[in-house]
Amino acid sequence: MGNTFGNLFRLTTFGESHGPAIGAVVDGCPARLKLVEADIQAQLARRRPGQSGLTSPRNEKDQVRILSGVEQGVTLGSPIALSIENSDTRPGDYDKLADIPRPSHADYTYKMKYGILASSGGGRASARETAARVAGGTIAETFLRHHFGVEIVAWVSSVGAVEATDLTGRHIQRHDVDLNEVRCPDAQAADMMTASIRMAADEGDSLGGMVTCVCRNLPAGWGEPVFDKLPAVLAHAMMSIPASRGFEIGAGFRAARMRGSEHNDVFVKKGRHLGTATNRSGGVQGAISNGEPVVFRVAFKPVATIKMPQETVTYDGKPVVLQLDKGRHDPCILPRAVPVVESMAALVLADMALLAGAYGQSR
């Protein structure tokens, strides 16, 4: 049940962190969409480990294979199966952890739920699973871009105590985001973020932060009433990403300190349609898209795997000092979380488009 996301445009992911492969099945993608492996590969390259000195040194190429649902570069309308080989596994790095639940990891809770654990790397709880999300989400994004011109761009807006300038009002593109390895378009803040991450890594520690995402060119009318509101489903998607700890849309938690006269977005005429003079609502009103850019932020906690010694206990309660001298993990997940946030947003919006009946109107 928990391995599938979406209603009409559905993604199911499979595989463990150090198993032979991970992958995804996308069901509900419309037929006749142009799609080749290279379309997926570009976004996977932005998520893969080993891409810079700020990320995990695990060297996975993340080469995707399309196994079904596509012929001669065109989708058939049938399920699209995707496979990504795990080529740089080191299950032996986790041998000494068999009797120790790692602090703030899923080891203890997964064992309590299932009575068994994957032998290494966190299994399904590992951030490795997000490669499958990116593969499937890129198909959703291709659909959105081709039929509606929707653009989805995310970037790192804070790391630790370092915050970037608010860039949501600017027309940031992915090439602006990728100009530096921390994926922050504010060059001055990016330098400070990079220094903070390197310092934490040198100390055997980790850092969290925020990712901001803007979704442009949505028509008004996407989103369902009551329980499937657009921000509610976006929150579901973003809070399902490993290490996520918070979600806000538009003015977010700042709205709690505003008056209605400060927060309200008044309507103005924009071309042939109405729009709003400001966008404190984040592109949604009554939880349905209003035609303005959808703007949201996702908070990520510090990575749980650190090299500093930690006093903890074994499963049978014996005190032990845990020091993870093996294993390859990110000192900060934010740079690689950017394409994951974009892909999960694409899955939500593709599903909303189909639920709204917008696909038939776009052809």
Side-chain angles (χ1 to χ4, degrees), residues 9 28-35 73-77 138-152 216-219 222 346 349-354 357-363:
F9 196 108
C29 180
R32 301 189 301 279
L33 177 70
K34 291 183 179 180
L35 181 71
V74 178
T75 60
L76 300 173
T138 303
I139 297 174
E141 187 179 358
T142 301
F143 164 65
L144 290 166
R145 184 174 58 249
H146 180 77
H147 288 285
F148 307 102
V150 169
E151 295 180 349
I152 302 173
R216 307 184 184 105
N217 302 330
L218 271 71
W222 287 8
L349 296 179
D351 202 32
M352 291 294 182
L354 295 178
Y359 172 60
Q361 299 168 12
S362 73
R363 287 183 291 179

Side-chain angles (χ1 to χ4, degrees), residues 237-271:
M238 299 306 147
M239 292 301 292
S240 76
I241 301 172
S244 62
R245 282 297 177 271
F247 172 86
E248 62 177 8
I249 191 163
F253 288 101
R254 291 186 294 112
R257 299 190 295 272
M258 294 180 178
R259 293 189 174 193
S261 56
E262 297 174 291
H263 184 267
N264 284 353
D265 295 317
V266 299
F267 286 100
V268 296
K269 188 72 181 297
K270 292 185 177 181

Side-chain angles (χ1 to χ4, degrees), residues 35-86:
L35 181 71
V36 293
E37 290 171 349
D39 297 330
I40 302 170
Q41 201 62 56
Q43 191 73 320
L44 278 174
R46 300 176 76 224
R47 194 225 67 96
R48 77 173 187 87
Q51 61 183 272
S52 80
L54 300 183
T55 67
S56 163
R58 180 172 173 173
N59 189 21
E60 294 286 358
K61 300 302 181 184
D62 281 354
Q63 294 290 328
V64 67
R65 290 182 61 207
I66 298 176
L67 304 179
S68 68
V70 179
E71 283 188 9
Q72 298 179 355
V74 178
T75 60
L76 300 173
S78 54
I80 301 170
L82 308 165
S83 177
I84 302 168
E85 181 183 356
N86 288 331

